[in-house]
Amino acid sequence: MTVRRAQLGDAEAVRAIRNDAIEQSTALRMQTPRSPAAGVAWLTAHLERESAFVAEAEGEVAGFAVYGPWRELDEYRHTVEDSVYVREGRHGLGVGSALLDALIASAREAGHHVMIADIEAENAASIRLHQRFGFHHVGTVREVGTKFGRWLDLTIMRLPLV
């Protein structure tokens, strides 16, 4: 497996992974799969920030990770939020760990101060992944999202980058 910076040519593979998460899980609280144009626009914003990575294994994109602004307010400009997604069938193989490692290193190099992980509270695998990298539980906000006909809680985790 190789982790590298994402490129525009990865947009369709990344979109497929995102859409699978939208349609099959509560990891992304969005309800509607993204179009090819929306996928390109979303990835382009991360490419401009140099904050997007993909993991390749056996000739395919096995997962992706990005970080971006946690909140769009100036006072939070040194705080970023991470997102790590692994293609179905590639879980448990170290893809998420390799991606999160690259993401944290990149955010540190870029001079960010804190990385936040907003995780659907029942996503135990993502919570464990973040704990292994030193993220600490900040709190859980109850019933702030809804998907598949049920209310979802949001677990917030924090990693100091300095």
Side-chain angles (χ1 to χ4, degrees):
M1 177 180 47
T2 304
V3 174
R4 62 168 173 78
R5 288 198 182 272
Q7 303 166 357
L8 193 55
D10 298 316
E12 185 54 31
V14 168
R15 183 180 78 92
I17 295 168
R18 286 183 80 215
N19 279 349
D20 184 64
I22 290 168
E23 294 170 336
Q24 304 298 324
S25 78
T26 57
L28 277 168
R29 288 159 293 287
M30 298 171 203
Q31 307 287 322
T32 306
R34 298 307 187 228
S35 69
V40 167
W42 181 85
L43 184 58
T44 297
H46 290 288
L47 295 176
E48 290 170 358
R49 282 192 295 271
E50 298 183 341
S51 63
F53 295 83
V54 295
E56 288 183 319
E58 300 174 13
E60 72 173 1
V61 173
F64 75 90
V66 298
Y67 69 81
W70 181 56
R71 300 286 181 264
E72 295 290 341
L73 300 171
D74 190 49
E75 63 263 31
Y76 300 123
R77 69 188 174 277
H78 300 292
T79 302
V80 293
E81 178 181 5
D82 78 295
S83 295
V84 178
Y85 292 90
V86 176
R87 179 182 298 282
E88 188 61 38
R90 295 286 187 170
H91 296 96
L93 302 174
V95 175
S97 292
L99 285 164
L100 187 53
D101 188 49
L103 210 60
I104 292 168
S106 175
R108 281 187 172 132
E109 185 178 310
H112 295 292
H113 187 71
V114 171
M115 183 173 279
I116 300 290
D118 287 337
I119 304 169
E120 197 280 315
E122 293 182 6
N123 189 341
S126 185
I127 291 169
R128 281 192 309 273
L129 170 66
H130 285 82
Q131 286 172 332
R132 283 196 310 271
F133 280 85
F135 283 74
H136 294 281
H137 183 264
V138 174
T140 299
V141 187
R142 304 284 177 216
E143 297 182 354
V144 294
T146 183
K147 192 168 182 181
F148 303 135
R150 61 187 179 96
W151 287 103
L152 304 173
D153 299 340
L154 181 68
T155 292
I156 303 169
M157 300 181 80
R158 174 186 181 270
L159 176 71
L161 296 172
V162 293

